[in-house]
Amino acid sequence: MEALFAITLGLLTASGVYLLLRARTFPVVLGLTLISYAVNLFLFAMGRLGGSVAVIGTPGEYGDPLPQALVLTAIVIGFAMTAFVVVLALRGLGDLGSDHVDGRPDEEEPRP
Amino acid sequence: MSHWLILPILLPLFAGSLLLLPLAERWQRGLSLLAALALIPLSLLLIRTAASGDLSVYALGNWAAPFGIVLMLDRLAALMLLATAVLGSAALIYALRGEDRLGKHFHALFQFQLLGINGAFLTGDLFNLFVFFEILLIASYALLLHGGGAERVRSGLHYVILNLVGSAFFLIAVGTLYGLTGTLNMADMAQKIAMADAERAPLLAAAGLLLLVVFALKAALLPLYFWLPRAYATASAPVAALFAIMTKVGIYSILRVYTLVFGDAAGELANLAQAWLWPLALATLGLGAIGALAARTLQGLLAYLVVVSAGTLLAGVALGSERALAASLYYLLHSTWIAGGLFLLADLVARQRGDKAGDLVQGPALQNPRLLGGAFFIGAIAVAGLPPLSGFFGKVMLLQSVAPGSQALALWSVVLGSGLVALVALSRAGSTLFWRTGHTVLGSAELDHGRLFACILLLSAGPLLVFAAKPLLAYVQATAAQLHDLDLYRQIITRGGAA
């Protein structure tokens, strides 16, 4: 299970990095989102996979509750940041007239 | 235990929350200024507490470390709180003269920024450090974009995306460290890492170096500083001045993590970061100086000088000795306040040059050339490291702290070379702005005395740090010694966190 989990995280991260390096802001936002998914799953895995639900009264060995708390915190922070960067990208489109990450208009010739 | 420790966090938190209410501008400004100014006596009180040499620990929720989050106050944290309080107050005084009207919720964001910075300095928990980083970062995103404009949106987009990637790295590093050590408290993690076996050491090293990447991004270390010059140059003046402390948060984090967690007592992973920090800090110094030489605006020049000062500080941190650390801490106060003052001054100059603003081209004569030119002269002397101001003493102490050898050769040549280059860049900028001017004076911009007061307040750190050098040096030397006393920090765990 660990190997499959690790491969999944690797794919998510690779996809995120690929999108992050695109030239338009929306793929960049999607890339950041994929990377944050991978990071959240990674944090969860750091408490070790397996174990039962970390609820008092549940029989058996419970999963580590601390990484779950870290993940919940990171999820809400990531969500706030994603919302901000989406609005910022839209603002960039309005102010700069382009959704290029450099803010360069589409018609402009590349600078020497 | 005393509750003074948490006030640097609670005070801006409550003030910022109150400032979200639709209060009249007069009340907004009054409350914000009062909260910012109150941080100065509070940080002086905490400095007096920390000066006893004890490590004050505040167990949140009364859960003992390592099971709860603890706040730690040592000499270093108290010093950083003072630097933040003075800089924040001056930047806010400047902003009250009109910058706060450029957008909504300026004062709330400003207070939340101070909250994040103060929290980052006080926390003893690595994940809590992440959370405070995010607080200060998201406030900084909004403050950077304050006032709008295409240039701000462009540089803001780069700044936001880059820091979001940095935050992801932070979480990966913290998660790995937790997975390997089973703890998030810095002092407890230090003990666990010291006992790490050969099997786990490479993974711990990878996580530690990933954390170094995160902090280096905040500290503006090569090759991770390229976001800084544009972001700082496009921010409004009080925001750019406040951002002078942001690189210091990264430097503080490097100092804290790599003397405590990966310090002398870390076994196989002792002084993990030094091999990387040293060459990169010197390279940052050199390239920052080249950027300063190439800058086309006064704000861009000052932004690159922030990079130069970050490189200088990190070189001192990388040397690792107590003398180098003491010199770096003295220089840190100097560079924080002088850089903030110069950003405010750049705005005062730009206001009197019409559409030329901060561009380093010939423009109209200034209305107050002697006053602004004199202030620029003092700031330039301080930032270039010339006698008799504080930058000179900081650099001399740093140069003297290195033992003769190849390290000394590298440090002396790069620090002195970058000082010369900074001097050339500043001289050229000063002569362009104040001497090579046209004969007409624009009548549009009267000098605002409130703004000037905030600017002079920060620039006066140049002479004041020299006058107060003796007690200050005693403090920073004791601070450097304390940071190497790792038994003091281990007591957080062994004594159950009771203060």
Side-chain angles (χ1 to χ4, degrees):
Chain A
M1 183 175 179
E2 277 84 5
L4 182 60
F5 202 88
I7 289 172
T8 305
L9 292 192
L11 280 176
L12 271 174
T13 306
S15 306
V17 170
Y18 173 82
L19 287 174
L20 189 59
L21 299 175
R22 304 302 294 164
R24 304 293 171 175
T25 51
F26 190 64
V28 171
V29 172
L30 287 184
L32 290 169
T33 305
L34 284 182
I35 288 177
S36 70
Y37 291 165
V39 167
N40 293 337
L41 289 170
F42 179 82
L43 278 181
F44 194 80
M46 283 301 104
R48 307 298 188 265
L49 304 174
S52 64
V53 180
V55 172
I56 293 177
T58 307
E61 186 143 348
Y62 55 87
D64 193 341
L66 182 52
Q68 297 174 35
L70 303 189
V71 165
L72 290 179
T73 307
I75 285 172
V76 296
I77 290 177
F79 181 70
M81 298 305 185
T82 303
F84 187 88
V85 76
V86 166
V87 174
L88 179 56
L90 291 173
R91 176 64 174 272
L93 180 59
D95 280 11
L96 301 166
S98 167
D99 67 343
H100 197 279
V101 291
D102 284 343
R104 188 184 306 146
D106 292 333
E107 302 80 20
E108 189 173 311
E109 293 296 324
R111 299 189 196 95
Chain B
M1 68 181 70
S2 168
H3 294 289
W4 293 111
L5 228 77
I6 199 166
L7 277 189
I9 294 171
L10 292 185
L11 185 59
L13 173 63
F14 288 149
S17 303
L18 277 177
L19 289 163
L20 291 172
L21 303 176
L23 304 172
E25 185 181 66
R26 185 177 69 257
W27 287 102
Q28 290 252 336
R29 288 177 159 179
L31 178 57
S32 188
L33 184 61
L34 189 64
L37 288 178
L39 287 175
I40 296 181
L42 178 57
S43 55
L44 287 172
L45 175 73
L46 293 179
I47 279 202
R48 199 156 62 79
T49 301
S52 65
D54 291 333
L55 172 67
S56 302
V57 177
Y58 190 85
L60 295 170
N62 208 22
W63 286 96
F67 303 111
I69 291 173
V70 296
L71 304 181
M72 303 188 305
L73 180 80
D74 58 351
R75 290 163 170 272
L76 177 63
L79 189 75
M80 304 307 298
L81 291 176
L82 177 67
T84 305
V86 171
L87 183 73
S89 299
L92 188 59
I93 290 169
Y94 194 98
L96 293 182
R97 305 304 299 171
E99 266 79 9
D100 55 343
R101 295 200 188 109
L102 297 179
K104 293 179 180 176
H105 299 306
F106 175 86
H107 291 286
L109 288 165
F110 197 95
Q111 295 297 325
F112 289 139
Q113 177 84 66
L114 294 179
L115 157 67
I117 294 171
N118 289 348
F121 290 144
L122 281 170
T123 186
D125 183 276
L126 214 47
F127 191 79
N128 196 228
L129 179 65
F130 164 76
V131 175
F132 278 121
F133 261 44
E134 294 308 304
I135 292 172
L136 70 90
L137 278 176
I138 196 163
S140 73
Y141 301 159
L143 284 175
L144 176 63
L145 294 162
H146 186 69
E151 275 309 308
R152 285 198 180 123
V153 170
R154 188 199 313 261
S155 62
L157 192 63
H158 296 163
Y159 179 66
V160 172
I161 290 173
L162 203 47
N163 278 285
L164 290 185
V165 176
S167 300
F169 282 8
F170 203 155
L171 284 171
I172 294 175
V174 169
T176 307
L177 287 172
Y178 175 75
L180 293 166
T181 64
T183 185
L184 288 169
N185 181 277
M186 290 186 203
D188 194 32
M189 190 180 285
Q191 294 190 33
K192 298 288 178 26
I193 283 177
M195 296 183 291
D197 50 30
E199 180 180 291
R200 291 188 161 191
L203 263 178
L204 284 166
L209 290 174
L210 193 57
L211 210 54
L212 182 64
V213 170
V214 174
F215 296 149
L217 176 63
K218 281 229 61 57
L221 185 74
L222 184 80
L224 298 165
Y225 73 74
F226 297 114
W227 57 272
L228 189 151
R230 179 179 277 186
Y232 282 28
T234 55
S236 64
V239 170
L242 182 63
F243 280 9
I245 195 72
M246 297 281 272
T247 50
K248 309 318 187 275
V249 178
I251 293 168
Y252 166 87
S253 304
I254 289 175
L255 193 47
R256 175 70 71 204
V257 169
Y258 295 95
T259 57
L260 177 51
V261 180
F262 294 99
D264 294 334
E268 290 197 29
L269 299 164
N271 298 310
L272 172 77
Q274 262 175 16
W276 289 93
L277 260 189
W278 173 249
L280 288 179
L282 293 183
T284 303
L285 247 166
L287 288 182
I290 292 175
L293 206 57
R296 299 182 181 190
T297 67
L298 183 54
Q299 286 87 353
L301 167 61
L302 296 177
Y304 274 107
L305 292 177
V306 170
V307 174
V308 170
S309 71
T312 309
L313 284 168
L314 287 168
V317 170
L319 284 170
S321 66
E322 285 183 17
R323 292 182 66 201
L325 207 49
S328 295
L329 293 177
Y330 182 89
Y331 190 78
L332 184 146
L333 279 185
H334 148 81
S335 63
T336 301
W337 290 335
I338 296 293
L342 282 174
F343 274 114
L344 301 181
L345 180 65
D347 190 59
L348 289 176
V349 169
R351 287 168 180 270
Q352 296 195 357
R353 301 182 78 235
D355 59 355
K356 294 294 190 290
D359 291 347
L360 296 175
V361 293
Q362 185 176 25
L366 303 185
Q367 287 190 47
N368 308 90
R370 283 182 188 77
L371 187 54
L372 297 181
F376 181 84
F377 189 61
I378 291 175
I381 286 178
V383 81
L386 296 180
L389 295 182
S390 52
F392 174 71
F393 286 96
K395 286 193 176 182
V396 164
M397 285 194 294
L398 184 63
L399 296 177
Q400 286 179 333
S401 67
V402 64
S406 60
Q407 258 189 347
L409 179 65
L411 183 71
W412 280 61
S413 52
V414 175
V415 168
L416 293 181
S418 67
L420 174 64
V421 168
L423 184 60
V424 168
L426 287 159
S427 301
R428 185 179 59 183
S431 52
T432 301
L433 295 170
F434 300 107
W435 290 345
R436 290 171 39 216
T437 57
H439 296 295
T440 58
V441 176
L442 299 185
S444 55
E446 282 295 327
L447 185 63
D448 187 296
H449 289 96
R451 292 194 172 101
L452 181 69
F453 170 73
C455 176
I456 297 296
L457 181 70
L458 286 178
L459 290 180
S460 64
L464 284 181
L465 287 175
V466 174
F467 292 137
K470 179 162 180 161
L472 194 54
L473 285 182
Y475 187 90
V476 296
Q477 280 156 8
T479 304
Q482 186 184 51
L483 280 170
H484 284 91
D485 180 13
L486 298 184
D487 288 334
L488 185 70
Y489 296 91
R490 289 200 193 96
Q491 289 174 36
I492 299 175
I493 307 300
T494 57
R495 284 171 41 193

